[in-house]
Amino acid sequence: MEAFLDDWGLTLVTFIPLAGAVLMMGTPKENESAHKLIALTTTLVAAFFGFLLLLNFEFEAAGELQYVVDKGWIDIINSRYIIGLDGMSLPLLLLTLGVVPLCIVYSFGHFPEPHNPKTFLALILVLETGMLGSFIAQDLILFFVFFEVVLLPMFFLIGVWGGDDRRYASLKFFLYTLFGSALMLISFLALFFLADGTVANEAADTARTFDMRALSTGATSVISRNAQLWVFGGMFVGFGVKVPMFPFHTWLPDAHTQAPTVGSVILAAVLLKLGTYGFVRIAIPFLPEAAAAWAPVIGLLAVIGIIYGALGCLAQSDMKRLIAFSSVAHMGFVMLGISTLTDFGINAAIFGMVAHGLITGMLFFVAGSMKDRYHTLDMSRLGGLLVQAPKMGWILGFSAMASLGLPGLAGFWGEFPAILASYNPASILSAPTWRGFMVVSALGTVLAAGYLLWMLQKTAFGTPTDEFESDPHIHDVSRFEWIAWAPMLLLIVVFGFYPNLIFDLTDPAVDKSLIIEGFSGFSAGDLGVETIADDARGCLDLPKDAALRCFDMLRNSGISGVAAGS
């Protein structure tokens, strides 16, 4: 079984949902039960193989890629089918494998107009393949293909099954993300032409390569500083739009508000994580020197996003739009952790991705169920949910408490470590600047408590309004809703009480991603410092002047990524 999983595990996990979508295309549209069965079965089979990968994963070697497959693909451009899994990508892979089947179960009782389960479920399966592939790809072109596969299914989910302004929201989502992807692709091509894969610690066969293993272990160190800054800038916009970071965020509230419920859940739980994952998997490990130069911009925009998103929440009257703006604020904490360029900050960011996916996904689930019952999410018309549907009201309250960062729930570990990491950013960065970011971001937690408690008070407390007081359609949590929500609620508690389930998994991979190969060959005298700290892993762990000298020495040596004496 281990040999089978090594060769086929990741491929099966990724493409089984796509196979299910193809099978559904050959099934008559009228056979709704068959489409439900195919969609649920394929996602559960994919989740089962993901569980087998988890059981056979070598946790003591979480920093190394496992289940690696390296096969020829597009030889003319030296792009290969390379996939692998480590501690950084495993939590996000499992998050995707868990959320999608829950969304499908939920949709059984909530197919939005114009109904058509065949196409609706098939699009979700295609979407799942794109998301899973993005987390395991180890070739830039392969990553880009998977990254773009998610675009069209979500475009159609919003544009066909969305709200009254669905066409505007879907087109805005499409254009924003397509623009970001174009800049990202240009950056990938620049890396292909400027890097030297033969000097990497995990060397490629040729100088020009899309192999992410080579590009993250020294192949890019030969690129000039100015070129690195431009290349990183392209990736910054490409990934920043997907996060989305301020000021690239304006597509998100419209997309969330108009998307069908499961579309909003998948968008919040997984799709936004493709952007933050791109930063920690590609942008920072590939171009650490440029990352240090861009870090103040990332940190500044992150804290602006935290405050702006929170203030935007306080200005909303629509419950779903409020939750959408809260995503801007919460993803700001993730980006703040990333901007510190430390293992602690990036570990906090990855935990924040998982926590945000579970908690905000739950909030959108509850909002969607309320919309089905009340046919509105205007908070001025709502109220008394705890009276009419007490179980749903308590679930909404629980999710709101988790979102505001209550200790003991997963949201706390998604925010507090990111704030704390800002007190001691990487040595190359300005500590006073990040401590200023820390203070401002901490204020964001206060605002978060304000807008979430305000939302809860407006929708759940009090007595039902006259409009809905005697409405027979308002009922408590249904069977399908319980099945879809219970696992997410449980995980919010489990990760809140035992965060090391994720931290122990991600830390080795994050630590490895920040190691700059070839650094160990330099002495303190070479770098112009009296001593080098024992725990220094690369140029980022040096004061700014010494760090810049370190990067120049790596660039001039032309042997970055080759261990000393090899």
Side-chain angles (χ1 to χ4, degrees), residues 428-506:
I428 193 175
L429 304 177
S430 168
T433 299
W434 262 260
R435 288 169 187 175
F437 294 160
M438 179 187 71
V439 173
V440 177
S441 63
L443 295 176
T445 63
V446 178
L447 293 174
Y451 65 72
L452 286 164
L453 293 175
W454 174 64
M455 176 195 74
L456 188 63
Q457 182 265 329
K458 294 281 287 184
T459 58
F461 287 89
T463 57
T465 59
D466 294 339
E467 181 181 1
F468 300 109
E469 186 176 9
S470 303
D471 193 329
H473 296 98
I474 299 174
H475 56 86
D476 218 333
V477 183
S478 69
R479 178 183 56 171
F480 289 127
E481 289 167 344
W482 272 123
I483 296 172
W485 298 354
M488 297 176 72
L489 295 170
L490 178 63
L491 287 174
I492 290 170
V493 175
V494 170
F495 291 142
F497 276 96
Y498 195 61
N500 280 347
L501 285 173
I502 294 177
F503 285 134
D504 287 346
L505 185 61
T506 60

Side-chain angles (χ1 to χ4, degrees), residues 163-476:
D164 295 337
D165 293 329
R166 57 186 178 273
R167 293 182 180 178
Y168 168 77
S170 60
L171 185 61
K172 192 174 183 180
F173 161 77
F174 187 86
L175 292 177
Y176 265 74
T177 52
L178 191 65
F179 171 73
S181 297
L183 292 179
M184 184 178 69
L185 180 59
I186 292 172
S187 294
F188 289 175
L189 294 174
L191 290 174
F192 176 77
F193 287 109
L194 296 176
D196 186 350
T198 61
V199 304
N201 192 50
E202 299 184 26
D205 295 332
T206 59
R208 292 180 176 177
T209 181
F210 289 110
D211 189 338
M212 292 164 60
R213 298 169 299 177
L215 293 169
S216 62
T217 56
T220 59
S221 63
V222 298
I223 303 175
S224 69
R225 175 177 170 83
N226 284 338
Q228 285 194 36
L229 293 175
W230 282 103
V231 173
F232 191 96
M235 290 191 285
F236 166 75
V237 175
F239 295 135
V241 167
K242 204 78 167 186
V243 171
M245 293 182 65
F246 178 92
F248 311 121
H249 67 284
T250 58
W251 64 268
L252 183 68
D254 294 315
H256 267 315
T257 304
Q258 299 303 320
T261 299
V262 296
S264 292
V265 172
I266 293 174
L267 186 62
V270 184
L271 234 63
L272 304 186
K273 313 309 179 292
L274 298 183
T276 47
Y277 178 78
F279 276 104
V280 300
R281 171 65 73 187
I282 297 175
I284 293 174
F286 286 16
L287 302 170
E289 183 178 8
W294 277 90
V297 177
I298 297 173
L300 177 62
L301 294 180
V303 295
I304 291 176
I306 292 169
I307 301 302
Y308 174 85
L311 294 177
C313 289
L314 292 169
Q316 303 308 312
S317 59
D318 184 279
M319 179 180 175
K320 202 173 182 185
R321 196 170 180 87
L322 183 151
I323 300 170
F325 269 98
S326 77
S327 282
V328 176
H330 289 305
M331 295 308 287
F333 285 104
V334 172
M335 291 308 302
L336 179 63
I338 291 173
S339 74
T340 65
L341 304 183
T342 61
D343 55 351
F344 184 40
I346 295 177
N347 275 304
I350 298 175
F351 194 104
M353 297 180 210
V354 177
H356 175 268
L358 294 171
I359 296 168
T360 307
M362 267 307 311
L363 286 170
F364 277 118
F365 265 142
V366 176
S369 291
M370 291 178 64
K371 180 70 176 290
D372 286 340
R373 290 159 171 79
Y374 293 94
H375 306 292
T376 183
L377 286 175
D378 185 346
M379 292 188 291
S380 64
R381 297 170 59 189
L382 300 175
L385 182 64
L386 283 166
V387 175
Q388 293 181 295
K391 295 184 181 66
M392 187 177 295
W394 281 110
I395 291 172
L396 175 61
F398 174 87
S399 302
M401 294 301 115
S403 186
L404 63 82
L406 187 72
L409 300 177
F412 176 78
W413 300 106
E415 295 180 3
F416 176 71
I419 297 172
L420 188 60
S422 300
Y423 189 81
N424 283 313
S427 297
I428 193 175
L429 304 177
S430 168
T433 299
W434 262 260
R435 288 169 187 175
F437 294 160
M438 179 187 71
V439 173
V440 177
S441 63
L443 295 176
T445 63
V446 178
L447 293 174
Y451 65 72
L452 286 164
L453 293 175
W454 174 64
M455 176 195 74
L456 188 63
Q457 182 265 329
K458 294 281 287 184
T459 58
F461 287 89
T463 57
T465 59
D466 294 339
E467 181 181 1
F468 300 109
E469 186 176 9
S470 303
D471 193 329
H473 296 98
I474 299 174
H475 56 86
D476 218 333

Side-chain angles (χ1 to χ4, degrees), residues 35 48 89 249 285 299 412 442 534:
H35 290 297
F48 173 73
S89 51
H249 67 284
F412 176 78
D534 293 337

